Amino acid sequence: MIDLYFWTTPNAYKVSILLEELEQPYRVMPVHIGKGEQFDPAFLAISPNNKVPAIVDHDGPGGRPLAMFESGAIMMYLAEKLASPLLPADPVGRYATVQWLMFQMGGVGPMLGQAHHFRKYAPETIPYAVERYTSEAHRLYGVIDRRLGEAEYLAGDAYTLADIATYPWLRPYKWQGQDIDAWPNLKRWYAAVRARPAVQRGLAVLAAKVDRSGAPPQGERWNNLFGGARLGARQA
Ligand SMILES: N[C@@H](CCC(=O)N[C@@H](CS)C(=O)NCC(=O)O)C(=O)O
């Protein structure tokens, strides 16, 4: 059995979608990051960077429990454990998948996350930051669109971890100031990924567990996510 520690964020959806694609049984454990639950010592023992997602695989290597954080590493571990074609065995397909997964982890996630932050969550509008991250999001959408103009999926002919990792980050494209209609190849891929039953299940299973209005966090919740409470929580 796998425990998935999550909040309803793109990085956590990557793992629930993958677990659905792999048809693995798992339990979902909410970590309310607005309330500061990511700083609980029990969670920090699993995820020392105080972020979701994290997993505990109670049937890890050697039959022992294995705790992991960082969504890309978790995805590679699960796909490799199950010898899934979502992480192809042949070196060309495998490293194409790893390459586009790293592109998501190092580029798409952090940059689009900053676009969310400065466009939606920042307490004041900082035009330089809004422009910087909105235009970087636009550039990344262009990279994805060009890639999907030459291949059906990010890593080539087959749907892989790279697509699962990227899709949840593009869902809030309006938050990032982007227009999906401007990118025909990306739009074709987006519709194909969204139509997958495992994708729908992976999104629904987490959303059903939490009561979330979608309104930007304020007050104490903002402070736990972005403010000085974060340093105090680590020192407590
Ligand atoms: N690189 C990490 C990023 C994880 C991440 O940023 N998680 C956010 C939600 S999407 C979080 O848990 N934030 C809580 C915090 O920073 O205290 C991954 O891909 O797993």
Side-chain angles (χ1 to χ4, degrees), residues 9 11 14 33 38-39 50-53 70-71 105 230:
T9 65
N11 287 318
K14 288 150 64 171
I33 58 178
Q38 70 272 39
F39 297 107
N50 60 263
K51 290 184 192 287
V52 292
E70 282 295 331
S71 57
M105 292 294 295
R230 297 169 64 75

Side-chain angles (χ1 to χ4, degrees), residues 63-84:
R64 295 158 95 120
L66 178 73
M68 287 191 77
F69 68 106
E70 282 295 331
S71 57
I74 293 169
M75 295 178 86
M76 290 176 69
Y77 166 72
L78 292 173
E80 190 162 302
K81 178 181 179 187
L82 294 154
S84 167

Side-chain angles (χ1 to χ4, degrees), residues 39 116 186 195 222:
F39 297 107
H116 293 176
L186 186 154
W222 187 92

Side-chain angles (χ1 to χ4, degrees), residues 6 8 35 48 57 62-63 78 87 126 144-145 166 191 198 202 212 215 224:
F6 78 98
T8 46
K35 288 188 182 165
D57 179 2
L78 292 173
L87 180 58
I126 304 168
I144 294 169
D145 188 68
T166 304
R212 199 178 167 209
N224 283 324

Side-chain angles (χ1 to χ4, degrees), residues 6 13 16 20 26 28 200-210:
F6 78 98
Y13 283 130
S16 58
E20 293 291 339
Y26 62 105
V28 293
Q200 291 302 316
R201 289 197 304 273
L203 296 172
V205 72
L206 301 192
K209 285 280 170 189
V210 304

